[in-house]
Amino acid sequence: MKPLLEIEKINSFYGPVQVHFDVSMSVPEKAIVCLLGGNASGKSTTMKAILGLQAPRSGRILLEGRDITGWPTPRIVRAGISTVPEARRLFGGMSVRENLLMGAYARDDRGEVAADLDRVLALFPRLGERLGQKAGTMSGGEQQMVAMARALMGRPKLICMDEPTMGLSPLFVDRVLELIATVNGTGVSVFMVEQNASMALRIADYGYVLRTGRIVLEGPAKQLLADPRIRGAYLGENVA
Amino acid sequence: MGSILSLPWFDFTVSGVVIGSIYALMAVGLALIFGVANLINFAHGAVFTVGAYVGWVCAVALGLPLWATVPLVALGGGLVGAGIEYIAIRPLNRQSRIAPLLATIGVGLILDQIVHILFGANPRALPVPMPGWRVSVGQGSIGPIDITIFVTAVIAAAALYAFLFRTRLGMAVRATAQDEDAAKQMGVNIHAVNMAVFAIAGALGAIAGLLVGIYYNAIDPNTSFQIMLKGMVAIVIGGMANVPGAIGGGVILGLIESYGIALFGASYRNLFAFAVLLLMLLVKPNGLFAKGREREAEPMTGTFVIQSMPVRPPGWLLALGVAAAALVPLAGQPYLTQVMTNAFLYALAAISLTLIAGTVGLVSIGHAALLAIGAYASALLTIAGLPVALGLVAAAAITALLGTALAYPAFRLRGHYVAIGTLAIGEIVSLVILNWTSLTNGSMGVFGIPPLTLFGVDFFSTNPSYWLVLGLVVVFALLQTRLLSSHLGRTWRAIREDTVAAETYGVGSNYYKGLAYGFAGFTAGLAGAVTAHQFSYINFDTFNLLTSVLILTIVILGGLGNVTGAIVAAVLVAGLPEMFRVLAEYRMLFYGAALLLLIRFRPRGLLGSG
């Protein structure tokens, strides 16, 4: 499969502290790729680097072969990367409809936004009944749905999801997995950062394991799921 | 009761609503900026003044009709607002929360000075032709001016709503106000949103300036600060970032003032606003329209200025500096000596502020109030017959007690509320002095304050007076340095770093804040008292906002909490400009620019914060 997003040997820093050491990854078209790792492994910084919120000091990030390193966030969003931020970060005081429209904020083809709204609502019919409701008054699962729909409204090629299952009850986790599969089914690639490894690997095509800023393990999801070292990586034991 | 009922209540209601709608225009801008940029724009009053003068140019100098003047005023205010964002706010890039707030104080001073330079310091007439009819309603009446102002304000508010709820950029503004990071991830250009909000606030504030000019038939270049405070009170009533709340808050404030004037007289006008403000901060800090009493958590507990290692000059250098300073009068230039005396008085005040700002983290924008209390206390006591030496000490003690008591309500405030609270306390002190005529002689001021003679020794002529002040600075600097390195100093710093954490270790933060304020009040009261005896005349405006801003600038330049830094900075900021005639003439411009540049390039001060 052709790579959609490529991360080439990035090194990121917070002040004097290095958080990425020559990290390389790739997300193929139409695939679900997950990045696993514990606290302080550099997962969230990877997300920030892709979105242009925290530029790496060296290395490159390519979208469809184009170097997007150091681009301002609005330009990266326009180029086709949407996001489902950590803890969803909906605009709680605004209606569901306005939240969805915010997802299309950066698009240039404003004439087609209305058609996309219909398309997204067809995908998540529940939201159609709730368009006027304030997003902050919805349940956690519904909010996750709004966040996914909002990301789709940008007509992205890639959606980055930061810990989409965090803070949700086990019952909802399965629902979110379905949502992710639904989103992916529309032909959009998904790059997700997760702590919940076994859950993420169940739906992912490929996975990377990040530990203290270095990729320590990677492979097709099915292989990783069977790999005893996955457990090790999470319990902090030595990995091969 | 009969006399109260027979007052023209209808007319008071009309004028309350009309003035209130102008306050609402001011408040809406402040609320928008607070929501999006998390910042109280202290330059907002200056934008109001600029609007009034753009209105004068259009309506009087160019003779344009009102329908053409209003959009031009809005355009002018919008450009100034956008300029403030671009020059003062954007470059700071959120380095710390208080930095942009201080930068807007600097910009406000610069804009005010520019208006003074262009149009002079005196009020001007702003005659706008209006038809002569009035509509009688019961015992009262409504005139065309009332209607014009109210309708203009309503149209402006409607335009704002159309922008916020009917345009794409307006949606982005609302989204940014709710969650800036999320908005950024949607591809919103935060800089553009900020600039739009400053421009809109500027346009509305400028229209407010024009409307006040129309209402009173005159414009005044010295009202920026007062009107900014009114807008601020209105947003505190309405709940800081709440735009509809700001409109409600503005109208409520207008009505309170109007009814208050009806009952107590016009001289108390501003006192009502601040009484309401203090009441709100204490009882409903989230605004009338909020559900809970809980204040929204602001992340900073302390000074919210980045700490750094202070430069510690060696002892011999300090001793050399004091020796050199002591020799200044020998240069035989009385003017230089007087300027330096004044600078060291500011140094004394700055030592005092740096103690509370740098240790317990109360960055006060009303520090001049402490000087005023000390000055009035010593002046009144010595006129009543107390020897000057006793008067000074008594004044310092009174300031310590009264200042601490006044600041006490501000102890539990955080972040922006500290700025608002201390500012309000400063204003209230000044207003009480103005209105308590039987004690303070009101607006006439206090004359004939005895000269500085301590135990029969002359300290009033130029040189002895200089040595006295220098001596006080050295003594209090040493005392404070000792204090800061003691157990007490460490406790203070712990409170600054994290009040809540300090309290979990059993430190009663109010007690320690009170101690810091008491010590600072003593020092500042002494500085004010000495000033009073030197001037021999003081009034309610001798120690005003400009004094407070100057002291704050000195403290920031010196590095928060840095005693040596405060003294060096006082000589630079309060001394240097007086030695050059041009700088002294454009003092506000100099102070404003100094503050702005300082915040931009050396937020930790020249010598680092301690």
Side-chain angles (χ1 to χ4, degrees):
Chain A
M1 277 187 284
K2 211 167 71 177
L4 176 67
L5 181 84
E6 286 166 282
I7 297 177
E8 293 182 359
K9 294 194 163 187
I10 56 167
N11 289 283
S12 301
F13 292 78
Y14 281 115
V17 182
Q18 186 161 5
V19 282
H20 282 150
F21 297 85
D22 286 335
V23 169
S24 297
M25 274 177 250
S26 132
V27 181
E29 272 181 8
K30 300 196 168 96
I32 299 180
V33 172
C34 67
L35 175 61
L36 308 171
N39 286 329
S41 58
K43 291 182 316 241
S44 293
T45 313
T46 314
M47 198 69 117
K48 287 183 181 162
I50 296 172
L51 288 165
L53 296 167
Q54 158 99 24
R57 197 172 289 176
S58 66
R60 295 197 307 166
I61 300 172
L62 307 172
L63 181 69
E64 296 179 307
R66 267 199 301 175
D67 189 348
I68 61 166
T69 329
W71 282 16
T73 308
R75 195 171 165 203
I76 292 175
V77 174
R78 263 200 300 280
I81 301 183
S82 289
T83 162
V84 176
E86 190 179 337
R88 303 180 291 274
R89 305 295 282 268
L90 295 182
F91 303 109
M94 292 163 74
S95 68
V96 171
R97 185 192 166 81
E98 285 180 318
N99 268 279
L100 298 184
L101 290 178
M102 278 310 295
Y105 185 79
R107 281 170 56 175
D108 298 320
D109 53 342
R110 279 171 224 165
E112 291 172 45
V113 170
D116 280 355
L117 187 62
D118 291 340
R119 199 169 55 88
V120 168
L121 289 178
L123 208 58
F124 303 107
R126 286 279 297 276
L127 298 183
E129 310 150 16
R130 309 273 188 123
L131 277 180
Q133 187 176 343
K134 284 213 166 84
T137 64
M138 303 176 98
S139 72
E142 288 168 333
Q143 289 197 16
Q144 194 66 18
M145 208 181 274
V146 177
M148 303 257 176
R150 182 176 68 174
L152 276 177
M153 284 298 291
R155 220 186 240 193
K157 298 170 182 123
L158 172 71
I159 298 183
C160 294
M161 300 186 185
D162 199 346
E163 311 228 6
T165 64
M166 194 176 72
L168 294 180
S169 68
L171 205 68
F172 268 129
V173 168
D174 285 337
R175 295 283 308 280
V176 169
L177 294 187
E178 284 169 32
L179 287 177
I180 296 172
T182 311
V183 165
N184 182 238
T186 63
V188 179
S189 300
V190 173
F191 176 73
M192 70 172 153
V193 160
E194 260 297 343
Q195 294 214 22
N196 188 343
S198 60
M199 182 291 299
L201 288 172
R202 265 193 286 153
I203 57 163
D205 299 304
Y206 200 84
Y208 293 88
V209 176
L210 197 60
R211 208 164 66 125
T212 54
R214 291 182 172 85
I215 301 283
V216 288
L217 202 60
E218 65 173 282
K222 288 206 174 59
Q223 268 181 35
L224 288 183
L225 209 47
D227 194 319
R229 286 175 301 176
I230 280 286
R231 254 180 73 81
Y234 284 97
L235 298 176
E237 293 160 12
N238 282 335
V239 180
Chain B
M1 285 307 285
S3 66
I4 288 181
L5 286 174
S6 67
L7 284 170
W9 286 111
F10 181 81
D11 286 349
F12 284 121
T13 307
V14 170
S15 77
V17 170
V18 168
I19 291 292
S21 60
I22 294 172
Y23 291 162
L25 282 186
M26 288 297 287
V28 162
L30 286 172
L32 274 176
I33 291 174
F34 189 83
V36 169
N38 206 343
L39 154 78
I40 298 171
N41 178 17
F42 275 83
H44 203 52
V47 176
F48 168 94
T49 303
V50 169
Y53 278 84
V54 173
W56 181 86
V57 168
C58 293
V60 178
L62 302 175
L64 296 175
L66 194 60
W67 59 262
T69 299
V70 172
L72 285 172
V73 165
L75 180 67
L79 288 175
V80 172
I84 293 174
E85 193 277 332
Y86 191 74
I87 293 167
I89 308 300
R90 190 173 300 193
L92 296 178
N93 208 14
R94 312 279 155 95
Q95 43 174 277
S96 68
R97 292 289 194 86
I98 201 174
L101 189 150
L102 296 173
T104 62
I105 294 181
V107 176
L109 289 177
I110 293 172
L111 283 173
D112 270 348
Q113 180 88 74
I114 290 173
V115 169
H116 275 218
I117 292 171
L118 292 179
F119 298 98
N122 295 321
R124 280 171 189 245
L126 182 67
V128 174
M130 286 280 166
W133 50 262
R134 288 189 77 82
V135 182
S136 292
V137 183
Q139 294 176 324
S141 66
I142 298 179
I145 287 187
D146 302 324
I147 294 172
T148 307
I149 290 174
F150 186 70
V151 168
T152 311
V154 169
I155 292 174
L160 174 68
Y161 265 79
F163 165 76
L164 285 177
F165 288 94
R166 293 281 174 267
T167 68
R168 226 172 125 260
L169 186 57
M171 186 168 75
V173 166
R174 287 185 293 130
T176 308
Q178 290 199 4
D179 189 335
E180 181 181 316
D181 284 337
K184 218 186 261 174
Q185 294 184 26
M186 299 298 119
V188 172
N189 180 345
I190 301 295
H191 288 314
V193 164
N194 267 328
M195 184 176 264
V197 162
F198 269 85
I200 290 166
L204 297 176
I207 291 176
L210 171 68
L211 294 181
V212 167
I214 293 174
Y215 191 72
Y216 291 111
N217 230 321
I219 53 174
D220 186 332
N222 308 305
T223 53
S224 300
F225 177 58
Q226 285 301 334
I227 194 75
M228 204 296 287
L229 291 178
K230 295 296 173 59
M232 207 171 75
V233 175
I235 64 169
V236 171
I237 294 175
M240 298 310 276
N242 182 342
V243 171
I247 295 178
V251 175
I252 291 172
L253 179 62
L255 285 171
I256 290 176
E257 270 191 19
S258 191
Y259 294 146
I261 289 168
L263 293 172
F264 303 103
S267 61
Y268 292 100
R269 166 174 231 139
N270 294 327
L271 211 49
F272 301 131
F274 292 108
V276 171
L277 177 63
L278 275 196
L279 201 70
M280 288 299 301
L281 287 181
L282 290 176
V283 182
K284 274 191 89 67
N286 281 339
L288 271 190
F289 311 112
K291 289 188 190 79
R293 191 171 171 281
E294 263 322 283
R295 280 187 303 279
E296 237 175 81
E298 289 195 62
M300 58 280 187
T301 53
T303 56
F304 51 120
V305 165
I306 315 144
Q307 302 299 316
S308 63
M309 277 306 288
V311 179
R312 294 209 188 281
W316 60 267
L317 188 63
L318 292 177
L320 203 69
V322 172
L327 295 178
V328 164
L330 304 184
Q333 296 193 339
Y335 180 67
L336 174 72
T337 310
Q338 280 164 12
V339 164
M340 290 300 285
T341 308
N342 190 42
F344 281 125
L345 280 171
Y346 271 108
L348 205 53
I351 289 176
S352 151
L353 178 57
T354 213
L355 177 69
I356 53 173
T359 55
V360 289
L362 285 167
V363 181
S364 168
I365 315 184
H367 209 62
L370 295 180
L371 300 187
I373 294 173
Y376 268 87
S378 190
L380 296 173
L381 287 172
T382 51
I383 287 174
L386 210 65
V388 174
L390 277 180
L392 291 179
V393 177
I398 289 173
T399 313
L401 290 175
L402 204 56
T404 310
L406 282 172
Y408 187 79
F411 285 177
R412 58 199 196 91
L413 302 180
R414 297 199 184 155
H416 295 102
Y417 291 103
V418 173
I420 298 175
T422 53
L423 194 62
I425 293 164
E427 277 310 286
I428 287 174
V429 167
S430 160
L431 288 166
V432 166
I433 289 173
L434 181 62
N435 285 301
W436 195 349
T437 317
S438 60
L439 181 72
T440 64
N441 207 17
S443 57
M444 304 284 289
V446 178
F447 297 89
I449 303 166
L452 275 173
T453 14
L454 304 179
F455 312 110
V457 182
D458 152 30
F459 277 104
F460 53 83
S461 43
T462 307
N463 292 354
S465 150
Y466 172 81
W467 281 316
L468 172 73
V469 174
L470 178 64
L472 287 177
V473 168
V474 172
V475 167
F476 277 86
L478 287 174
L479 211 60
Q480 192 159 314
T481 313
R482 263 310 277 281
L483 266 182
L484 287 176
S485 56
S486 71
H487 175 72
L488 187 59
R490 280 193 299 279
T491 311
W492 279 336
R493 278 191 293 271
I495 291 172
R496 173 192 67 193
E497 294 306 324
D498 194 330
T499 307
V500 177
E503 281 182 346
T504 59
Y505 280 96
V507 175
S509 69
N510 276 357
Y511 171 72
Y512 285 97
K513 283 180 179 176
L515 277 183
Y517 229 92
F519 191 81
F522 193 91
T523 316
L526 198 59
V530 170
T531 312
H533 291 287
Q534 281 185 341
F535 287 5
S536 83
Y537 168 73
I538 51 171
N539 67 17
F540 72 98
D541 199 35
T542 307
F543 307 96
N544 55 19
L545 176 77
L546 200 58
T547 317
S548 292
V549 171
L550 185 54
I551 299 171
L552 187 57
T553 309
I554 291 169
V555 166
I556 290 167
L557 178 62
L560 283 181
N562 189 326
V563 177
T564 321
I567 299 170
V568 173
V571 172
L572 288 178
V573 179
L576 262 189
E578 305 304 322
M579 297 178 198
F580 304 97
R581 217 181 114 66
V582 182
L583 284 183
E585 200 163 325
Y586 300 122
R587 199 173 279 127
M588 283 203 304
L589 196 65
F590 174 76
Y591 295 162
L595 189 57
L596 196 57
L597 293 173
L598 206 58
I599 294 299
R600 171 91 167 79
F601 297 106
R602 278 205 75 88
R604 285 160 217 191
L606 282 183
L607 298 183
S609 46

